[in-house]
Amino acid sequence: MNGYNEILKIFGDESRLRSIPPHRGEDSLIDLTSNDYMGLAARANQWKKDFFNLFGSQGMTSSASRLLATDQDIYYQLENYLESTYSRPVLLFNSGYHANVGILPALSIPGTLIITDRLIHASAIDGVRLGKGNFTRFNHNDISHLERIIEKEYSGYDRIIIVCESIYSMDGDLGSLSRIADLKRRFPKIILYVDEAHAIGVTGPKGAGVTAKEHLLPEVDIIVGTFGKAVASQGAFAVMREELKSYLINTARSFIFSTMIPPINAAWTLFMLKKLADMEEERNHLSCIASKFREGVKEITGMPNTSRSAIVPLPAGNAENALKLSYLLELEGILALPIRRPTVPPGGERIRFSLHASLSDENVEKILEIVSRVYNKVVV
């Protein structure tokens, strides 16, 4: 065990030893740590009675993988609802992680090159590595760099899969989807794979994401979305053509060999998605307060802020500062956790604020006042 303890000591010395946060149970804290962007999870109790009246008979476990489960009705209902939104087939997964580590290795057949944005989520990185195929990366949102890679490699492969995100989870900035779609039109062998984990429910018509908002659905071959963030549930889905759905049912190991999420969970997801579809006013409000908050953080730090979403980073400079900022913010009534290596590179340590639609303009003003005071104590 000595080797493991030595690694833990290094983590401690570098102020990046993690532990699971305790349950605080304090309503007085403003929670800016979760991905409950639309505030549905915080309000779930008000809908429980209606939900159980509609879906109370659903099972608490599937007891098998999707290919073996006997009760499929609610899964089909959920897939059909999503298919009506995206006008394309949908396949459910147990989580966004399961989706990425299942789909990407399955797609990585001989003759395939995968090109990923450097800042894609760890689950997509793991999926690419599990595929054991050829892959490379382009500098974050640098479409000129991506284009040079494609031009160099295009003739040597049967297909090129480009993997990016619509909203990046650490900086809150947007992927250059329209420019990548332009490349796809020029290079027909491209398959475009977009992870919309932090966009589903938050943006686009009915909360369908950035791809739908930017009218790029015909250009994107695979969209991955999750239910564990704005949808306030658990699980994930992938939108794709019918032949790809059939292919993944037969080849995606995380789909084939995982016990499916419980039917009651799928029912809750469907229930929440229908709530989200009608929350345009809340989406507009979140967009407005996020813009106000981003501008406030920019003034506090004096640094450029690339965020265009409800995810807003506060740069700390190093892991020790990030820990201090988090501690002092909690003393002031704000729950916001530090982000350190390996989630971000050295020097990229930060506080990551996740705003939600339940916040008022007054809340945002109060939070910015506190952030300014704490930041000036620790970083300036």
Side-chain angles (χ1 to χ4, degrees), residues 36 39-56 58-59 74-75 77-78 227-235 261-276:
D36 184 24
L40 290 183
R43 298 161 55 196
N45 284 337
Q46 75 184 65
W47 295 305
K48 282 185 178 178
K49 183 177 180 180
D50 290 341
F51 170 73
F52 281 107
N53 284 339
L54 288 170
F55 296 107
Q58 292 294 334
I74 193 63
Y75 305 130
Q77 286 187 50
L78 178 53
F227 303 134
K229 296 178 173 62
V231 186
S233 187
Q234 176 63 38
I261 57 174
I264 193 76
N265 186 209
W268 177 254
T269 299
L270 180 60
F271 188 76
M272 288 288 96
L273 284 170
K274 290 180 178 179
K275 297 286 184 189
L276 278 170

Side-chain angles (χ1 to χ4, degrees), residues 35-40 43 81-82 85-86 166-167 195-213 223-233 237 269 272-287 309-310 355-357:
N35 298 313
D36 184 24
Y37 300 116
M38 301 304 294
L40 290 183
R43 298 161 55 196
Y81 179 83
L82 289 164
T85 300
Y86 293 95
S166 62
I167 297 177
D195 189 326
E196 293 243 49
H198 292 272
I200 300 301
V202 179
T203 190
K206 297 184 178 181
V210 176
T211 302
K213 182 179 181 180
I223 298 169
V224 173
T226 57
F227 303 134
K229 296 178 173 62
V231 186
S233 187
F237 67 97
T269 299
M272 288 288 96
L273 284 170
K274 290 180 178 179
K275 297 286 184 189
L276 278 170
D278 297 325
M279 294 179 71
E280 290 303 324
E281 183 177 342
E282 289 88 344
R283 275 186 280 277
N284 290 334
H285 173 67
L286 179 58
S287 177
S309 68
L355 305 182
H356 49 84

Side-chain angles (χ1 to χ4, degrees), residues 27-321:
D27 293 336
S28 59
L29 286 174
I30 299 175
D31 187 356
L32 300 181
T33 64
S34 80
N35 298 313
D36 184 24
Y37 300 116
M38 301 304 294
L40 290 183
R43 298 161 55 196
N45 284 337
Q46 75 184 65
W47 295 305
K48 282 185 178 178
K49 183 177 180 180
D50 290 341
F51 170 73
F52 281 107
N53 284 339
L54 288 170
F55 296 107
S57 63
Q58 292 294 334
M60 295 295 178
T61 178
S62 64
S63 299
S65 72
R66 184 77 186 278
L67 293 177
L68 299 177
T70 56
D71 184 2
Q72 297 277 353
D73 180 62
I74 193 63
Y75 305 130
Y76 284 127
Q77 286 187 50
L78 178 53
E79 286 174 335
N80 289 339
Y81 179 83
L82 289 164
E83 287 173 4
S84 71
T85 300
Y86 293 95
S87 300
R88 245 189 298 173
V90 168
L91 184 63
L92 300 178
F93 286 85
N94 283 14
S95 69
Y97 205 105
H98 278 82
N100 283 331
V101 300
I103 297 172
L104 288 166
L107 296 178
S108 189
I109 61 176
T112 303
L113 173 67
I114 298 180
I115 310 175
T116 73
D117 187 289
R118 283 190 179 275
L119 296 188
I120 59 167
H121 191 264
S123 59
I125 294 171
D126 288 352
V128 171
R129 288 173 173 169
L130 283 170
K132 298 180 180 178
N134 293 331
F135 78 94
T136 188
R137 299 184 293 175
F138 63 97
N139 296 331
H140 177 54
N141 267 344
D142 186 342
I143 306 308
S144 295
H145 185 209
L146 172 61
E147 183 177 10
R148 292 195 298 273
I149 295 172
I150 294 169
E151 289 174 342
K152 178 182 177 183
E153 304 288 353
Y154 193 72
S155 62
Y157 292 91
D158 298 325
R159 66 201 64 79
I160 293 177
I161 302 172
I162 299 174
V163 184
C164 64
E165 299 181 19
S166 62
I167 297 177
Y168 285 86
S169 60
M170 287 297 111
D171 291 324
D173 58 337
L174 305 183
S176 301
L177 300 189
S178 61
R179 294 184 64 193
I180 297 175
D182 288 340
L183 288 177
K184 185 176 186 293
R185 296 183 190 102
R186 288 175 50 201
F187 299 95
K189 289 192 285 188
I190 287 177
I191 295 171
L192 181 50
Y193 184 112
V194 179
D195 189 326
E196 293 243 49
H198 292 272
I200 300 301
V202 179
T203 190
K206 297 184 178 181
V210 176
T211 302
K213 182 179 181 180
E214 296 187 1
H215 307 289
L216 293 172
L217 287 174
E219 309 298 331
V220 180
D221 298 283
I222 299 175
I223 298 169
V224 173
T226 57
F227 303 134
K229 296 178 173 62
V231 186
S233 187
Q234 176 63 38
F237 67 97
V239 181
M240 67 202 80
R241 299 187 305 274
E242 185 60 50
E243 63 270 25
L244 274 179
K245 178 176 179 177
S246 179
Y247 174 75
L248 291 173
I249 287 171
N250 287 277
T251 59
R253 293 174 65 83
S254 63
F255 176 85
I256 297 169
F257 297 110
S258 290
T259 298
M260 189 56 181
I261 57 174
I264 193 76
N265 186 209
W268 177 254
T269 299
L270 180 60
F271 188 76
M272 288 288 96
L273 284 170
K274 290 180 178 179
K275 297 286 184 189
L276 278 170
D278 297 325
M279 294 179 71
E280 290 303 324
E281 183 177 342
E282 289 88 344
R283 275 186 280 277
N284 290 334
H285 173 67
L286 179 58
S287 177
C288 289
I289 63 171
S291 177
K292 181 177 183 177
F293 192 79
R294 292 193 300 265
E295 286 301 312
V297 168
K298 183 179 177 181
E299 289 181 14
I300 291 167
T301 64
M303 300 180 189
N305 191 324
T306 60
S307 172
R308 294 295 179 270
S309 68
I311 300 167
V312 185
L314 178 72
N318 57 57
E320 185 178 358
N321 282 350

